[in-house]
Amino acid sequence: MINTVKTALLLGLLTVLFVIIGNAVGGKSGALIAFGLAILMNFFSYFFSDKIALSMYNAQEVTESEYPELFRIVRRLAQNADIPMPRIYIIPQDAPNAFATGRNPKHAAVAVTVGALKLLNENELMGVLGHELGHIKHRDILISSIAATIAGAIMIIADMIRWAAMFGGLSRDRDSDSNPFVLIALAIFAPLAATLIQLAISRAREYEADRAGAEFSGNPLYLASALEKLDNYSKHIPLQGNPVTENLFIVNPFSVKGIMNLFSTHPPIEERIERLRRMALS
């Protein structure tokens, strides 16, 4: 409940930021134009992001005859989550990781690397796949698409302000009551704030998916043990891929340290494990 409320508040804050910068630069019409452009930009990714992500990692759809144990685990978890059975893909990489994709539970897929199948025992695999089905159950692809749409609109408006400032458009805009220095400050800081809010939403959804993974698998310690293994091994066996997809995976395959943690799509792994262990004691 806390993470759900947090997500709603962050989306609300992102919306307020969009309204402020939109009205500052072009009133309601300018804000609506930018929002429309952002929707168009994200429409394609929302409907086709699953195919793009799966093809990017050369994921191959598998059958139950090929991976009967994996199908048995996913089917049981899907029943616990009360969602349709997702399609199952295998990623031919030794780096241990997994992700879920698809715009809704009826069009969902889970992908697991070969490395994860080798590394994790059955209980740990249940925890990981339960986490991924949590993303599907909570429609996190939709939530991230909404956040990306609003953040994208803010960035479009900020670009408009910067281009206008470069060519003197702000100083010539006599019909505008906005202070040009305020507009420039918004153009600089609003995209950064939007990015931080968008990443905070992503981290909140990870916590919620961890909780769901613990619930669907029946034991929070299954996922805690899996996260510990995945984190340790992923540092030594790098994933071959694009860092822009880091938000997809259960653990960040592209490590960040220090202040760059502010720009991470995932919460600290130690905190996630500690939360799961506290959950097991409650």
Side-chain angles (χ1 to χ4, degrees), residues 46-209:
Y46 174 64
F47 280 96
F48 300 102
S49 60
D50 55 342
K51 295 179 177 63
I52 294 171
L54 292 167
S55 62
M56 186 180 294
Y57 288 95
N58 196 28
Q60 305 297 317
E61 187 170 5
V62 294
T63 64
E64 187 165 6
S65 61
E66 294 173 297
Y67 289 86
E69 293 301 312
L70 182 58
F71 269 75
R72 179 179 59 81
I73 291 171
V74 175
R75 183 173 288 110
R76 176 182 171 186
L77 290 168
Q79 290 172 349
N80 291 345
D82 193 26
I83 61 172
M85 177 76 175
R87 291 169 291 136
I88 299 177
Y89 287 77
I90 300 297
I91 300 172
Q93 291 203 38
D94 290 329
N97 226 311
F99 69 81
T101 187
R103 62 186 183 273
N104 57 46
K106 291 183 179 180
H107 300 86
V110 291
V112 188
T113 66
V114 171
L117 293 178
K118 292 178 180 178
L119 176 66
L120 304 176
N121 61 39
E122 181 174 328
N123 288 339
E124 292 165 343
L125 193 58
M126 282 181 61
V128 166
L129 293 171
H131 170 103
E132 298 307 335
L133 265 62
H135 280 309
I136 295 170
K137 173 81 171 181
H138 300 146
R139 297 176 183 264
D140 285 337
I141 300 299
L142 174 61
I143 292 172
S144 63
S145 295
I146 293 171
T149 295
I150 301 172
I154 291 170
M155 291 172 189
I156 290 171
I157 296 174
D159 282 340
M160 290 165 56
I161 296 173
R162 286 192 290 267
W163 280 106
M166 287 173 60
F167 292 100
L170 294 181
S171 61
R172 292 195 301 267
D173 188 5
R174 297 177 181 176
D175 297 328
S176 176
D177 294 328
S178 299
N179 187 316
F181 295 106
V182 172
L183 287 176
I184 292 172
L186 280 172
I188 295 171
F189 293 108
L192 176 61
T195 298
L196 291 175
I197 294 170
Q198 188 179 359
L199 293 173
I201 290 171
S202 176
R203 291 192 288 270
R205 302 321 300 162
E206 287 301 315
Y207 281 132
E208 192 62 19

